Amino acid sequence: MTTRIKETLLFLVLGMGLGCAENDDTNPQPAMETLVVANFETITEEIAFEKEQHEVTILLDKTLTSTSDMTLSVSGSAVYGQHFTTIPGLESGRIRLTVDKGSQFAKLTINRMEDHSEDHKTVIVNIHKDGSDIQPGVQSSTTLVLKKKEMTEEPNTVQISFVESLGYLSLDEPNGLDIGLHLSANVPHTIPVKIEIKTQGDFQYGSFFTTEPQAVLGELTLEAVPGVSNYSFRVVPVSNLSIEGSRTISFTILATEGGITTGPKDTFTLLIEKGEPSEVDIQKLSELRNKFNIHQGSFWISDDYYIEGIVTSGQNVSDKRVAYIEDNSAAIMLRFTADNILNTGDKIRLNLKGATGQVINGQKAMTDVADRAGIVLSKNAYLDIPTISPEQFASGAFEGRKIRVKNVRFEAANGSNSFSENNILIADNRRLILKVYPNAGFSDKIIPQGSLSIVGIIGDWGYLQPQDFNRDFLQ
């Protein structure tokens, strides 16, 4: 009897013990979750000038159990939107990088933009500490070096170039103009250098101008001799010559023999102009624009009509015959009889004799302007660029002027889209159109992201025409 009681008690104790163990397995205590730590694969990398895209790898110390984001900050000497862009894009100084569930790494793409800087540029990317599941580790920063373009020159090459690329000759200067050339190194013996002369229309050599030394069949010859590095020839207008507007002559160094090659300035453009009187009446551009109201349409200027102003346009115009000029009263579009040679920032005087006032694409313009160079009064002249609101932009009061609009963003900016002909800007819930012509050097660049300040001309069609991507798009 005693033995059976002991066996029964032992069975009960074992049963209770097994029951408790089974209960613990079905209700486990929750385990403590740990953060995922992120580190860059390398602390520094070089991106060659020729490499358009580069991937930056970020390693995670464990596999993600759910999709999460990490925040990256960007600094360095490289300018976003000018030297590089990223995928994903930069917004408000941060990049939000999404890492999918099951991943143990993430990648950031750097897109290089065309850049001819003389120095290398740096992009410093840091993993930013925030409230997400991914936190920075020990190697939380990487420096990317955007390498500059390496210039290579052939050793012992002698180059000959014009000293300048452009010159002016007035008919009031009967002694003519000396055009200089420079030899980069000494030559071992006498070598002939041939220069080709090209003119437009009936403005022919011998009838309108000559050279010293004289040209034969459209070419003049100089002799490069040992020990001499500077050379010149003279262009002389024919006496008592009278022309309307201006005429262009181009001089091009032809391929030479004997170890001399052409340098970077292989062409010189000479503009021959009728001499201007010392004192002239200068008309305000506001008075010129008022002529459109007086004539209620097209009008023709038959006599001398001088204007002065600062050239505000560069290459982002419909073609090379178009330029915009502005004084302290107004601005106007100019369309020349041929490609103009005006430079942005030059304060110039132009004679509009023979020009016609017309409205082109809703823009008041002077067409058939023969004076393609004018008289340069100063270089890099100061221009007060007003900051206007989107409402003022649409009012028409600033037509043709160079203005600034702040706090705008591109509707299509996603880090990979490039400029189209018409680009939508969002400004204070208004939609503005930014015009980019094929002539613009930035027409194939990626649209910058984020909030921007943009400088440009309210040009034809009433669209904003930025003139320089690097200077007029300001983060």
Side-chain angles (χ1 to χ4, degrees):
M1 173 68 76
T2 303
T3 302
R4 290 183 177 179
I5 292 173
K6 289 181 178 180
E7 288 175 353
T8 302
L9 291 173
L10 180 61
F11 177 79
L12 291 173
V13 171
L14 288 174
M16 290 175 65
L18 290 174
C20 291
E22 183 178 357
N23 185 59
D24 289 342
D25 289 341
T26 56
N27 297 283
Q29 294 296 320
M32 294 295 292
E33 294 185 2
T34 58
L35 295 175
V36 177
V37 178
N39 289 284
F40 285 101
E41 185 177 34
T42 59
I43 60 173
T44 182
E45 297 184 64
E46 292 185 351
I47 305 177
F49 178 84
E50 297 79 12
K51 191 174 182 181
E52 295 182 356
Q53 280 195 338
H54 180 80
E55 284 192 338
V56 179
T57 302
I58 302 172
L59 302 177
L60 308 180
D61 69 338
K62 56 177 63 69
T63 302
L64 282 182
T65 58
S66 62
T67 299
S68 186
D69 293 333
M70 72 171 69
T71 303
L72 307 177
S73 61
V74 178
S75 59
S77 61
V79 179
Y80 190 89
Q82 177 178 335
H83 303 117
F84 75 103
T85 58
T86 59
I87 301 176
L90 184 71
E91 294 185 5
S92 300
R94 294 284 189 268
I95 296 173
R96 184 179 180 183
L97 188 61
T98 299
V99 189
D100 294 332
K101 175 184 177 181
S103 296
Q104 202 167 348
F105 66 89
K107 288 186 179 292
L108 170 70
T109 301
I110 305 293
N111 293 316
R112 284 206 63 163
M113 304 179 71
E114 185 177 352
D115 175 36
H116 296 282
S117 301
E118 296 181 358
D119 301 318
H120 303 310
K121 303 292 183 182
T122 58
V123 179
I124 303 172
V125 185
N126 290 279
I127 302 173
H128 188 69
K129 186 175 182 180
D130 55 18
S132 70
D133 295 334
I134 304 175
Q135 293 297 295
V138 176
Q139 201 162 291
S140 61
S141 177
T142 185
T143 299
L144 310 172
V145 181
L146 306 183
K147 301 287 286 185
K148 68 179 181 179
K149 184 176 183 180
E150 299 295 338
M151 303 300 293
T152 58
E153 294 185 2
E154 296 182 8
N156 302 321
T157 297
V158 180
Q159 292 187 336
I160 187 166
S161 288
F162 286 104
V163 176
E164 303 290 343
S165 299
L166 178 65
Y168 305 91
L169 176 59
S170 171
L171 297 181
D172 294 337
E173 301 173 3
N175 293 327
L177 176 71
D178 289 328
I179 300 173
L181 300 97
H182 178 74
L183 209 60
S184 64
N186 193 28
V187 292
H189 54 82
T190 300
I191 301 175
V193 177
K194 295 186 179 297
I195 299 173
E196 182 183 42
I197 304 173
K198 288 186 177 181
T199 61
Q200 295 179 328
D202 60 352
F203 194 74
Q204 298 298 319
Y205 185 94
S207 300
F208 293 88
F209 72 99
T210 58
T211 59
E212 300 173 2
Q214 289 190 347
V216 178
L217 298 177
E219 293 181 4
L220 64 86
T221 302
L222 301 177
E223 289 190 339
V225 297
V228 179
S229 58
N230 295 313
Y231 299 86
S232 67
F233 61 91
R234 179 170 296 185
V235 180
V236 182
V238 172
S239 60
N240 301 320
L241 177 65
S242 178
I243 60 174
E244 290 293 331
S246 59
R247 298 292 187 274
T248 301
I249 311 169
S250 65
F251 300 89
T252 302
I253 304 172
L254 300 178
T256 60
E257 299 178 357
I260 298 181
T261 62
T262 56
K265 294 181 180 179
D266 62 347
T267 299
F268 180 89
T269 301
L270 177 64
L271 212 66
I272 296 184
E273 305 172 296
K274 181 177 69 173
E276 302 289 1
S278 57
E279 295 184 4
V280 296
D281 290 330
I282 306 300
Q283 308 298 323
K284 290 283 188 182
L285 293 181
S286 57
E287 297 171 355
L288 177 61
R289 292 181 67 90
N290 192 47
K291 282 181 172 289
F292 289 85
N293 301 326
I294 296 173
H295 293 276
Q296 297 182 351
S298 299
F299 59 92
W300 182 64
I301 298 179
S302 59
D303 299 320
D304 288 334
Y305 191 98
Y306 294 95
I307 61 172
E308 288 183 0
I310 299 172
V311 179
T312 58
S313 59
Q315 295 181 333
N316 189 23
V317 286
S318 58
D319 58 57
K320 293 181 179 180
R321 296 188 179 190
V322 172
Y324 283 82
I325 186 173
E326 180 174 340
D327 63 12
N328 58 8
S329 69
I332 201 159
M333 172 182 170
L334 303 173
R335 183 166 181 82
F336 296 85
T337 55
D339 292 354
N340 74 84
I341 51 176
L342 305 179
N343 295 311
T344 306
D346 284 356
K347 183 176 182 180
I348 61 170
R349 177 186 299 168
L350 286 173
N351 188 355
L352 299 184
K353 181 178 180 180
T356 299
Q358 286 184 302
V359 177
I360 301 177
N361 301 335
Q363 182 74 232
K364 291 182 175 67
M366 300 305 300
T367 64
D368 299 325
V369 179
D371 190 0
R372 295 185 295 138
I375 296 176
V376 179
L377 304 175
S378 64
K379 308 286 288 184
N380 299 316
Y382 173 77
L383 179 68
D384 184 21
I385 302 175
T387 298
I388 66 172
S389 66
E391 290 76 15
Q392 289 174 305
F393 185 99
S395 69
F398 293 86
E399 181 184 284
R401 291 188 62 183
K402 199 165 191 175
I403 54 87
R404 177 183 287 105
V405 183
K406 291 185 175 182
N407 300 320
V408 300
R409 62 179 176 84
F410 284 94
E411 187 177 60
N414 62 359
S416 59
N417 284 342
S418 58
F419 284 101
S420 61
E421 183 175 351
N422 297 329
N423 303 268
I424 303 298
L425 291 173
I426 307 299
D428 294 339
N429 297 319
R430 296 179 68 100
R431 294 162 67 88
L432 310 178
I433 297 180
L434 182 142
K435 188 84 167 178
V436 177
Y437 284 103
N439 294 327
F442 57 88
S443 60
D444 60 344
K445 302 301 180 187
I446 294 175
I447 301 173
Q449 294 178 289
S451 180
L452 304 165
S453 173
I454 298 182
V455 176
I457 296 168
I458 302 181
D460 48 355
W461 308 102
Y463 298 162
L464 182 63
Q465 295 175 202
Q467 297 302 311
D468 188 307
F469 178 80
N470 293 337
R471 185 175 61 194
D472 290 349
F473 286 72
L474 310 174
Q475 284 280 68

mmCIF file of all heavy atoms in Angstrom, residues 282-294 299 305-309 325-333 352 364 366 397 399 401:
data_model
loop_
_atom_site.group_PDB
_atom_site.id
_atom_site.type_symbol
_atom_site.label_atom_id
_atom_site.label_comp_id
_atom_site.label_asym_id
_atom_site.label_seq_id
_atom_site.Cartn_x
_atom_site.Cartn_y
_atom_site.Cartn_z
ATOM 1 N N ILE A 282 21.593 109.812 -77.635
ATOM 2 C CA ILE A 282 21.301 108.452 -77.199
ATOM 3 C C ILE A 282 19.833 108.370 -76.793
ATOM 4 O O ILE A 282 19.353 109.167 -75.994
ATOM 5 C CB ILE A 282 22.196 108.042 -76.014
ATOM 6 C CG1 ILE A 282 23.680 108.239 -76.369
ATOM 7 C CG2 ILE A 282 21.921 106.600 -75.610
ATOM 8 C CD1 ILE A 282 24.133 107.422 -77.545
ATOM 9 N N GLN A 283 19.124 107.401 -77.364
ATOM 10 C CA GLN A 283 17.701 107.226 -77.089
ATOM 11 C C GLN A 283 17.511 106.155 -76.000
ATOM 12 O O GLN A 283 18.142 105.101 -76.019
ATOM 13 C CB GLN A 283 16.955 106.796 -78.351
ATOM 14 C CG GLN A 283 17.206 107.684 -79.554
ATOM 15 C CD GLN A 283 16.741 109.111 -79.320
ATOM 16 O OE1 GLN A 283 15.714 109.332 -78.681
ATOM 17 N NE2 GLN A 283 17.492 110.074 -79.835
ATOM 18 N N LYS A 284 16.656 106.446 -75.044
ATOM 19 C CA LYS A 284 16.319 105.484 -74.017
ATOM 20 C C LYS A 284 15.528 104.310 -74.625
ATOM 21 O O LYS A 284 14.741 104.504 -75.559
ATOM 22 C CB LYS A 284 15.490 106.131 -72.909
ATOM 23 C CG LYS A 284 16.257 107.118 -72.048
ATOM 24 C CD LYS A 284 17.131 106.380 -71.060
ATOM 25 C CE LYS A 284 17.756 107.318 -70.060
ATOM 26 N NZ LYS A 284 18.659 106.609 -69.114
ATOM 27 N N LEU A 285 15.728 103.119 -74.069
ATOM 28 C CA LEU A 285 14.987 101.969 -74.566
ATOM 29 C C LEU A 285 13.499 102.078 -74.258
ATOM 30 O O LEU A 285 12.670 101.533 -74.992
ATOM 31 C CB LEU A 285 15.553 100.677 -73.963
ATOM 32 C CG LEU A 285 16.979 100.314 -74.406
ATOM 33 C CD1 LEU A 285 17.419 99.010 -73.766
ATOM 34 C CD2 LEU A 285 17.078 100.227 -75.915
ATOM 35 N N SER A 286 13.139 102.803 -73.213
ATOM 36 C CA SER A 286 11.719 103.031 -72.937
ATOM 37 C C SER A 286 11.092 103.878 -74.044
ATOM 38 O O SER A 286 9.929 103.650 -74.431
ATOM 39 C CB SER A 286 11.551 103.714 -71.578
ATOM 40 O OG SER A 286 12.276 104.933 -71.536
ATOM 41 N N GLU A 287 11.866 104.840 -74.584
ATOM 42 C CA GLU A 287 11.357 105.653 -75.691
ATOM 43 C C GLU A 287 11.228 104.818 -76.959
ATOM 44 O O GLU A 287 10.273 104.983 -77.741
ATOM 45 C CB GLU A 287 12.302 106.833 -75.931
ATOM 46 C CG GLU A 287 12.389 107.790 -74.743
ATOM 47 C CD GLU A 287 13.489 108.825 -74.908
ATOM 48 O OE1 GLU A 287 14.234 108.718 -75.905
ATOM 49 O OE2 GLU A 287 13.604 109.716 -74.062
ATOM 50 N N LEU A 288 12.203 103.914 -77.166
ATOM 51 C CA LEU A 288 12.124 103.028 -78.320
ATOM 52 C C LEU A 288 10.905 102.116 -78.223
ATOM 53 O O LEU A 288 10.175 101.923 -79.213
ATOM 54 C CB LEU A 288 13.409 102.204 -78.421
ATOM 55 C CG LEU A 288 13.467 101.155 -79.532
ATOM 56 C CD1 LEU A 288 13.331 101.796 -80.902
ATOM 57 C CD2 LEU A 288 14.778 100.355 -79.449
ATOM 58 N N ARG A 289 10.651 101.564 -77.052
ATOM 59 C CA ARG A 289 9.481 100.687 -76.880
ATOM 60 C C ARG A 289 8.175 101.452 -77.069
ATOM 61 O O ARG A 289 7.175 100.897 -77.531
ATOM 62 C CB ARG A 289 9.507 100.029 -75.497
ATOM 63 C CG ARG A 289 10.630 99.018 -75.310
ATOM 64 C CD ARG A 289 10.572 98.394 -73.922
ATOM 65 N NE ARG A 289 9.380 97.569 -73.782
ATOM 66 C CZ ARG A 289 9.313 96.276 -74.083
ATOM 67 N NH1 ARG A 289 10.377 95.668 -74.559
ATOM 68 N NH2 ARG A 289 8.199 95.600 -73.915
ATOM 69 N N ASN A 290 8.198 102.736 -76.740
ATOM 70 C CA ASN A 290 6.993 103.540 -76.912
ATOM 71 C C ASN A 290 6.620 103.716 -78.375
ATOM 72 O O ASN A 290 5.455 103.971 -78.712
ATOM 73 C CB ASN A 290 7.189 104.910 -76.248
ATOM 74 C CG ASN A 290 5.885 105.680 -76.146
ATOM 75 O OD1 ASN A 290 4.856 105.146 -75.727
ATOM 76 N ND2 ASN A 290 5.922 106.942 -76.552
ATOM 77 N N LYS A 291 7.614 103.580 -79.274
ATOM 78 C CA LYS A 291 7.320 103.680 -80.715
ATOM 79 C C LYS A 291 6.326 102.601 -81.161
ATOM 80 O O LYS A 291 5.555 102.806 -82.100
ATOM 81 C CB LYS A 291 8.613 103.556 -81.532
ATOM 82 C CG LYS A 291 9.475 104.809 -81.574
ATOM 83 C CD LYS A 291 10.702 104.574 -82.425
ATOM 84 C CE LYS A 291 11.471 105.871 -82.631
ATOM 85 N NZ LYS A 291 10.749 106.806 -83.533
ATOM 86 N N PHE A 292 6.353 101.439 -80.480
ATOM 87 C CA PHE A 292 5.408 100.385 -80.833
ATOM 88 C C PHE A 292 3.978 100.841 -80.545
ATOM 89 O O PHE A 292 3.043 100.485 -81.277
ATOM 90 C CB PHE A 292 5.727 99.106 -80.046
ATOM 91 C CG PHE A 292 6.978 98.415 -80.496
ATOM 92 C CD1 PHE A 292 8.218 98.802 -79.999
ATOM 93 C CD2 PHE A 292 6.930 97.380 -81.416
ATOM 94 C CE1 PHE A 292 9.377 98.161 -80.398
ATOM 95 C CE2 PHE A 292 8.085 96.727 -81.830
ATOM 96 C CZ PHE A 292 9.310 97.126 -81.319
ATOM 97 N N ASN A 293 3.793 101.610 -79.489
ATOM 98 C CA ASN A 293 2.460 102.120 -79.168
ATOM 99 C C ASN A 293 2.045 103.219 -80.141
ATOM 100 O O ASN A 293 0.888 103.299 -80.549
ATOM 101 C CB ASN A 293 2.441 102.662 -77.733
ATOM 102 C CG ASN A 293 2.813 101.599 -76.708
ATOM 103 O OD1 ASN A 293 2.496 100.419 -76.898
ATOM 104 N ND2 ASN A 293 3.475 102.010 -75.642
ATOM 105 N N ILE A 294 3.011 104.066 -80.512
ATOM 106 C CA ILE A 294 2.714 105.175 -81.417
ATOM 107 C C ILE A 294 2.314 104.663 -82.792
ATOM 108 O O ILE A 294 1.326 105.121 -83.397
ATOM 109 C CB ILE A 294 3.918 106.125 -81.519
ATOM 110 C CG1 ILE A 294 4.204 106.776 -80.157
ATOM 111 C CG2 ILE A 294 3.699 107.177 -82.596
ATOM 112 C CD1 ILE A 294 5.463 107.597 -80.126
ATOM 113 N N PHE A 299 7.363 99.401 -87.643
ATOM 114 C CA PHE A 299 7.872 100.699 -88.081
ATOM 115 C C PHE A 299 9.328 100.534 -88.512
ATOM 116 O O PHE A 299 10.005 99.557 -88.129
ATOM 117 C CB PHE A 299 7.753 101.743 -86.972
ATOM 118 C CG PHE A 299 8.487 101.387 -85.708
ATOM 119 C CD1 PHE A 299 9.797 101.802 -85.500
ATOM 120 C CD2 PHE A 299 7.864 100.639 -84.713
ATOM 121 C CE1 PHE A 299 10.474 101.468 -84.342
ATOM 122 C CE2 PHE A 299 8.546 100.307 -83.545
ATOM 123 C CZ PHE A 299 9.853 100.722 -83.362
ATOM 124 N N TYR A 305 19.985 106.209 -85.283
ATOM 125 C CA TYR A 305 19.208 106.102 -84.048
ATOM 126 C C TYR A 305 20.060 105.293 -83.078
ATOM 127 O O TYR A 305 20.187 104.076 -83.205
ATOM 128 C CB TYR A 305 17.864 105.412 -84.305
ATOM 129 C CG TYR A 305 16.880 105.483 -83.160
ATOM 130 C CD1 TYR A 305 15.876 106.437 -83.148
ATOM 131 C CD2 TYR A 305 16.959 104.575 -82.093
ATOM 132 C CE1 TYR A 305 14.964 106.499 -82.098
ATOM 133 C CE2 TYR A 305 16.053 104.634 -81.048
ATOM 134 C CZ TYR A 305 15.057 105.594 -81.055
ATOM 135 O OH TYR A 305 14.150 105.656 -80.017
ATOM 136 N N TYR A 306 20.666 105.962 -82.101
ATOM 137 C CA TYR A 306 21.634 105.315 -81.213
ATOM 138 C C TYR A 306 20.984 104.937 -79.883
ATOM 139 O O TYR A 306 20.245 105.731 -79.286
ATOM 140 C CB TYR A 306 22.819 106.244 -80.948
ATOM 141 C CG TYR A 306 23.650 106.503 -82.191
ATOM 142 C CD1 TYR A 306 23.423 107.627 -82.976
ATOM 143 C CD2 TYR A 306 24.655 105.627 -82.566
ATOM 144 C CE1 TYR A 306 24.174 107.875 -84.112
ATOM 145 C CE2 TYR A 306 25.422 105.859 -83.704
ATOM 146 C CZ TYR A 306 25.178 106.976 -84.469
ATOM 147 O OH TYR A 306 25.925 107.222 -85.598
ATOM 148 N N ILE A 307 21.293 103.734 -79.442
ATOM 149 C CA ILE A 307 20.873 103.274 -78.116
ATOM 150 C C ILE A 307 22.113 102.780 -77.373
ATOM 151 O O ILE A 307 23.121 102.403 -77.993
ATOM 152 C CB ILE A 307 19.827 102.143 -78.185
ATOM 153 C CG1 ILE A 307 20.401 100.911 -78.924
ATOM 154 C CG2 ILE A 307 18.547 102.634 -78.827
ATOM 155 C CD1 ILE A 307 19.509 99.688 -78.874
ATOM 156 N N GLU A 308 22.049 102.792 -76.056
ATOM 157 C CA GLU A 308 23.113 102.242 -75.232
ATOM 158 C C GLU A 308 22.497 101.331 -74.183
ATOM 159 O O GLU A 308 21.395 101.599 -73.684
ATOM 160 C CB GLU A 308 23.923 103.345 -74.535
ATOM 161 C CG GLU A 308 24.809 104.133 -75.461
ATOM 162 C CD GLU A 308 25.635 105.170 -74.717
ATOM 163 O OE1 GLU A 308 25.506 105.257 -73.473
ATOM 164 O OE2 GLU A 308 26.403 105.910 -75.368
ATOM 165 N N GLY A 309 23.201 100.259 -73.851
ATOM 166 C CA GLY A 309 22.699 99.354 -72.827
ATOM 167 C C GLY A 309 23.657 98.211 -72.586
ATOM 168 O O GLY A 309 24.695 98.092 -73.248
ATOM 169 N N ILE A 325 19.163 93.481 -74.841
ATOM 170 C CA ILE A 325 19.923 94.601 -74.303
ATOM 171 C C ILE A 325 19.020 95.374 -73.347
ATOM 172 O O ILE A 325 17.806 95.461 -73.561
ATOM 173 C CB ILE A 325 20.456 95.504 -75.444
ATOM 174 C CG1 ILE A 325 21.375 96.596 -74.895
ATOM 175 C CG2 ILE A 325 19.316 96.087 -76.258
ATOM 176 C CD1 ILE A 325 22.051 97.409 -75.986
ATOM 177 N N GLU A 326 19.622 95.941 -72.297
ATOM 178 C CA GLU A 326 18.834 96.599 -71.255
ATOM 179 C C GLU A 326 19.560 97.841 -70.762
ATOM 180 O O GLU A 326 20.782 97.836 -70.591
ATOM 181 C CB GLU A 326 18.616 95.621 -70.100
ATOM 182 C CG GLU A 326 17.806 96.155 -68.942
ATOM 183 C CD GLU A 326 17.498 95.082 -67.899
ATOM 184 O OE1 GLU A 326 17.570 93.881 -68.237
ATOM 185 O OE2 GLU A 326 17.202 95.455 -66.750
ATOM 186 N N ASP A 327 18.806 98.936 -70.568
ATOM 187 C CA ASP A 327 19.353 100.114 -69.882
ATOM 188 C C ASP A 327 18.558 100.309 -68.588
ATOM 189 O O ASP A 327 17.815 99.416 -68.172
ATOM 190 C CB ASP A 327 19.363 101.359 -70.774
ATOM 191 C CG ASP A 327 17.962 101.810 -71.189
ATOM 192 O OD1 ASP A 327 16.963 101.300 -70.617
ATOM 193 O OD2 ASP A 327 17.845 102.671 -72.079
ATOM 194 N N ASN A 328 18.705 101.453 -67.941
ATOM 195 C CA ASN A 328 18.024 101.630 -66.654
ATOM 196 C C ASN A 328 16.551 101.983 -66.802
ATOM 197 O O ASN A 328 15.869 102.243 -65.808
ATOM 198 C CB ASN A 328 18.733 102.704 -65.821
ATOM 199 C CG ASN A 328 18.798 104.038 -66.540
ATOM 200 O OD1 ASN A 328 18.193 104.219 -67.599
ATOM 201 N ND2 ASN A 328 19.537 104.981 -65.976
ATOM 202 N N SER A 329 16.045 101.973 -68.046
ATOM 203 C CA SER A 329 14.632 102.306 -68.255
ATOM 204 C C SER A 329 13.807 101.132 -68.757
ATOM 205 O O SER A 329 12.626 101.012 -68.433
ATOM 206 C CB SER A 329 14.502 103.469 -69.239
ATOM 207 O OG SER A 329 14.886 103.077 -70.549
ATOM 208 N N ALA A 330 14.408 100.258 -69.560
ATOM 209 C CA ALA A 330 13.659 99.150 -70.168
ATOM 210 C C ALA A 330 14.645 98.202 -70.841
ATOM 211 O O ALA A 330 15.867 98.364 -70.737
ATOM 212 C CB ALA A 330 12.626 99.671 -71.172
ATOM 213 N N ALA A 331 14.095 97.226 -71.562
ATOM 214 C CA ALA A 331 14.913 96.259 -72.295
ATOM 215 C C ALA A 331 14.218 95.934 -73.598
ATOM 216 O O ALA A 331 13.006 96.153 -73.747
ATOM 217 C CB ALA A 331 15.131 94.990 -71.470
ATOM 218 N N ILE A 332 14.980 95.387 -74.546
ATOM 219 C CA ILE A 332 14.386 95.043 -75.834
ATOM 220 C C ILE A 332 15.181 93.919 -76.486
ATOM 221 O O ILE A 332 16.374 93.730 -76.209
ATOM 222 C CB ILE A 332 14.315 96.269 -76.768
ATOM 223 C CG1 ILE A 332 13.261 96.047 -77.861
ATOM 224 C CG2 ILE A 332 15.695 96.589 -77.384
ATOM 225 C CD1 ILE A 332 12.776 97.327 -78.483
ATOM 226 N N MET A 333 14.489 93.175 -77.322
ATOM 227 C CA MET A 333 15.098 92.086 -78.086
ATOM 228 C C MET A 333 15.621 92.639 -79.411
ATOM 229 O O MET A 333 14.968 93.459 -80.058
ATOM 230 C CB MET A 333 14.043 90.997 -78.329
ATOM 231 C CG MET A 333 14.457 89.883 -79.260
ATOM 232 S SD MET A 333 13.063 88.717 -79.478
ATOM 233 C CE MET A 333 13.700 87.712 -80.830
ATOM 234 N N LEU A 352 20.741 101.812 -84.754
ATOM 235 C CA LEU A 352 19.614 101.034 -85.282
ATOM 236 C C LEU A 352 19.134 101.519 -86.640
ATOM 237 O O LEU A 352 18.041 101.151 -87.076
ATOM 238 C CB LEU A 352 18.455 101.041 -84.284
ATOM 239 C CG LEU A 352 18.726 100.436 -82.909
ATOM 240 C CD1 LEU A 352 17.455 100.432 -82.066
ATOM 241 C CD2 LEU A 352 19.289 99.023 -83.017
ATOM 242 N N LYS A 364 8.450 92.584 -78.050
ATOM 243 C CA LYS A 364 8.841 93.745 -78.864
ATOM 244 C C LYS A 364 10.300 93.589 -79.249
ATOM 245 O O LYS A 364 11.159 93.333 -78.405
ATOM 246 C CB LYS A 364 8.628 95.035 -78.083
ATOM 247 C CG LYS A 364 7.165 95.383 -77.832
ATOM 248 C CD LYS A 364 7.039 96.710 -77.100
ATOM 249 C CE LYS A 364 5.578 97.129 -76.963
ATOM 250 N NZ LYS A 364 4.823 96.222 -76.081
ATOM 251 N N MET A 366 13.607 94.690 -82.314
ATOM 252 C CA MET A 366 14.137 95.415 -83.466
ATOM 253 C C MET A 366 14.821 94.394 -84.359
ATOM 254 O O MET A 366 15.766 93.712 -83.943
ATOM 255 C CB MET A 366 15.126 96.496 -83.021
ATOM 256 C CG MET A 366 14.525 97.551 -82.104
ATOM 257 S SD MET A 366 13.047 98.374 -82.782
ATOM 258 C CE MET A 366 13.736 99.109 -84.280
ATOM 259 N N ALA A 397 5.082 93.733 -67.174
ATOM 260 C CA ALA A 397 5.803 94.974 -66.886
ATOM 261 C C ALA A 397 7.314 94.813 -67.017
ATOM 262 O O ALA A 397 8.034 95.797 -67.166
ATOM 263 C CB ALA A 397 5.455 95.460 -65.477
ATOM 264 N N GLU A 399 8.890 92.782 -69.344
ATOM 265 C CA GLU A 399 9.161 92.123 -70.617
ATOM 266 C C GLU A 399 10.554 92.470 -71.141
ATOM 267 O O GLU A 399 10.948 93.619 -71.213
ATOM 268 C CB GLU A 399 8.113 92.543 -71.654
ATOM 269 C CG GLU A 399 8.286 91.885 -73.012
ATOM 270 C CD GLU A 399 7.275 92.412 -74.015
ATOM 271 O OE1 GLU A 399 6.099 92.006 -73.936
ATOM 272 O OE2 GLU A 399 7.654 93.245 -74.851
ATOM 273 N N ARG A 401 13.381 92.009 -69.748
ATOM 274 C CA ARG A 401 14.390 92.329 -68.735
ATOM 275 C C ARG A 401 14.938 91.067 -68.072
ATOM 276 O O ARG A 401 14.293 90.020 -68.060
ATOM 277 C CB ARG A 401 13.785 93.243 -67.669
ATOM 278 C CG ARG A 401 13.460 94.633 -68.160
ATOM 279 C CD ARG A 401 13.053 95.534 -67.011
ATOM 280 N NE ARG A 401 14.143 95.689 -66.039
ATOM 281 C CZ ARG A 401 14.027 96.384 -64.909
ATOM 282 N NH1 ARG A 401 12.877 96.981 -64.607
ATOM 283 N NH2 ARG A 401 15.053 96.486 -64.077
#
